[in-house]
Amino acid sequence: MIRRLCLVLICLCSLPLQAAISPFVAAKLQKAYELYEQDQSQQAIELLESLTPSSADASAYVGRMLAGLYSAAQRYPEAIAQMQRALDSGGLDPLSERQTQHELAQLLLSQERFDEAIVQYRALIASRSEVDEDARVAQWHFGLARAQARLAQWPQVQTAAAQALALLGDDEASRNPVLVARQLSLTAQWNLKQWAAAEQTLEALLALQPTRLAWWRQSISAQLQQNRVEAALVTSALAQRSGVLKSDADHLTLVQLFASQGLPELAARHLQHYLELGLIATSAEQLQQLARYWQSAREWQLAIEAWETAAAQRPALLWPQIQLLMQQRQHRRALVVLDQALLVESLADRRGELYLAQVNAHYQLKQYHRAREAAVNATEHGQSQRGESWLTFLNGKLGQVSG
């Protein structure tokens, strides 16, 4: 905005030559410019505020210059009012009028006055003439789309972005504007849940920015939203081969994407693959997450093995392994792991629960005497109520057996 202000002020240096502006007003404008050049913006503002120009031209240019000075001073409501004054005066030539409208629209957008910004951008677009280049008009459509996006007017955003794209060429100079238009389209399509259209837009974005991970991630997400799992797997493999996944975090991004879409098996397979290749550092945290993914996918044996591997690095993780073994009625194996867990210091506060699990495992195997011993231990380690209940039950069982 400051740079645009300077351009406006420089243009005003020639104002004394314009017959529609009186020599008095032209001199004041020149003086205001000199004050601004000397970093005396407040004095320049006060000078112009004291003017009461009589002609439309003078009123327009005084208002426009004041708007620039107010913007430089971050007095935006006053800047907006002066820009509107300049436009309402009818004293601006067509080119200056459109420039001022564009500045006003941008300022309204920056001040989050979105409805007013939309009105200005639409007026700009409607007033296009033969001298307005396509690239400039595309910028107006961009501004319109941004204002509409802030109001969640997604169908209108799509229209404005498409109109901007239609005005842009395929040359290098259009690369960044095209990127902006595609991003606006994608935002609208995503919010409208138009997954097929979003996938096409992402293909175009990947052509422009093939190394941007966000586009790969969203492409996979759009495919999964359409239940195109095979396509998502292909895109995931392409992302891997493209070299866009450079860190643990990058690889985990794809893993978490599959998980967030309710596909824990694919998340687990990707995570396991990345761990095996060393693309994600092996840690207790990642192995624990792998076990959870397998468990969510109801791949019980793979989950048990993952918990076992994780527990080798963090012994406290023997507990979820035991719970899953008991759930899957693998009682003999559970008892082996329970013996290990009872020796783990970090599981000391769970010792009562471990003994209760031991009771249950021995009972399921009809090892009633061992179950009774474990119940006594549970009672002695903070599980008195449940331990006593087991003891009462098991004493009855043992009585039946001996009888």
Side-chain angles (χ1 to χ4, degrees):
M1 192 69 187
I2 302 299
R3 185 174 66 85
R4 286 199 302 274
L5 168 64
C6 292
L7 290 173
V8 170
L9 296 175
I10 289 167
C11 289
L12 288 171
C13 289
S14 62
L15 281 174
L17 300 178
Q18 298 187 34
I21 299 178
S22 70
F24 174 78
V25 173
K28 294 295 185 183
L29 289 168
Q30 181 65 32
K31 179 61 177 177
Y33 174 69
E34 292 170 0
L35 288 168
Y36 170 75
E37 285 271 274
Q38 297 164 13
D39 293 326
Q40 298 181 47
S41 296
Q42 183 55 38
Q43 291 88 330
I45 288 172
E46 291 171 359
L47 174 62
L48 294 180
E49 285 178 335
S50 69
L51 297 177
T52 54
S54 57
S55 73
D57 285 17
S59 180
Y61 285 100
V62 169
R64 194 176 182 201
M65 191 172 186
L66 258 176
L69 290 166
Y70 282 138
S71 293
Q74 298 184 5
R75 293 165 59 176
Y76 300 120
E78 292 159 291
I80 289 169
Q82 287 298 328
M83 284 186 189
Q84 193 62 63
R85 171 189 170 187
L87 289 168
D88 292 344
S89 71
L92 294 172
D93 62 84
L95 179 58
S96 296
E97 183 176 18
R98 284 193 296 280
Q99 288 174 339
T100 304
Q101 275 185 306
H102 192 197
E103 291 164 7
L104 176 56
Q106 288 178 301
L107 190 52
L108 288 166
L109 182 57
S110 72
Q111 297 303 297
E112 301 187 354
R113 292 166 61 169
F114 304 121
D115 286 310
E116 295 171 80
I118 288 171
V119 170
Q120 291 300 327
Y121 279 118
R122 284 180 172 158
L124 268 171
I125 293 166
S127 69
R128 180 184 183 175
S129 70
E130 294 179 358
V131 299
D132 293 315
E133 297 178 354
D134 285 349
R136 177 184 297 170
V137 180
Q139 290 297 324
W140 301 343
H141 285 288
F142 289 149
L144 177 60
R146 289 190 180 100
Q148 291 166 331
R150 295 299 298 271
L151 297 175
Q153 297 175 353
W154 303 119
Q156 294 90 327
V157 172
Q158 277 188 300
T159 301
Q163 289 170 336
L165 272 173
L167 292 164
L168 297 169
D170 297 325
D171 57 314
E172 187 62 28
S174 298
R175 180 182 174 85
N176 287 335
V178 167
L179 183 62
V180 172
R182 296 288 187 196
Q183 288 174 301
L184 286 165
S185 293
L186 178 63
T187 301
Q189 291 157 352
W190 209 266
N191 280 279
L192 291 169
K193 303 186 186 306
Q194 295 177 350
W195 307 120
E199 185 181 353
Q200 291 180 348
T201 299
L202 283 157
E203 287 178 10
L205 284 167
L206 279 169
L208 292 167
Q209 293 182 315
T211 60
R212 184 166 177 181
L213 178 59
W215 304 146
W216 290 98
R217 188 178 186 277
Q218 286 185 274
S219 293
I220 294 169
S221 182
Q223 290 163 340
L224 292 175
Q225 291 288 352
Q226 300 171 76
N227 294 318
R228 298 181 61 231
V229 176
E230 289 300 322
L233 291 173
V234 170
T235 303
S236 175
L238 286 172
Q240 176 67 47
R241 286 201 294 270
S242 74
V244 71
L245 306 177
K246 301 182 184 301
S247 66
D248 284 21
D250 292 344
H251 288 87
L252 285 171
T253 292
L254 291 192
V255 172
Q256 291 160 0
L257 175 61
F258 286 110
S260 69
Q261 296 296 324
L263 298 167
E265 182 178 350
L266 289 180
R269 294 195 185 284
H270 276 74
L271 179 54
Q272 183 164 308
H273 177 66
Y274 293 151
L275 287 168
E276 289 172 352
L277 293 179
L279 299 172
I280 293 177
T282 300
S283 65
E285 289 79 8
Q286 297 306 334
L287 292 169
Q288 181 179 3
Q289 188 60 69
L290 177 62
R292 286 174 175 161
Y293 285 148
W294 284 129
Q295 201 160 327
S296 295
R298 304 176 70 83
E299 293 284 352
W300 308 121
Q301 195 54 42
L302 290 171
I304 289 169
E305 292 169 9
W307 283 121
E308 183 175 3
T309 306
Q313 294 202 16
R314 184 177 294 169
L317 296 176
L318 288 169
W319 177 234
Q321 182 190 1
I322 290 165
Q323 291 176 299
L324 187 54
L325 286 167
M326 293 296 292
Q327 176 190 311
Q328 294 303 300
R329 305 185 66 79
Q330 297 186 32
H331 299 113
R332 294 187 188 281
R333 189 173 175 187
L335 285 168
V336 173
V337 180
L338 277 162
D339 286 340
Q340 299 171 23
L342 285 165
L343 300 175
V344 174
E345 187 62 31
S346 58
L347 288 174
D349 60 338
R350 288 192 178 277
R351 202 151 286 165
E353 294 176 87
L354 293 170
Y355 280 123
L356 284 175
Q358 208 173 48
V359 174
N360 191 18
H362 282 305
Y363 172 74
Q364 296 296 336
L365 295 170
K366 302 188 186 308
Q367 298 171 353
Y368 301 134
H369 285 285
R370 290 187 178 181
R372 188 180 185 285
E373 292 173 10
V376 171
N377 287 328
T379 303
E380 294 173 351
H381 287 84
Q383 295 289 337
S384 57
Q385 185 174 354
R386 295 173 65 190
E388 290 292 347
S389 178
W390 267 111
L391 283 172
T392 301
F393 175 74
L394 289 167
N395 285 334
K397 272 285 184 185
L398 288 167
Q400 292 173 11
V401 171
S402 60

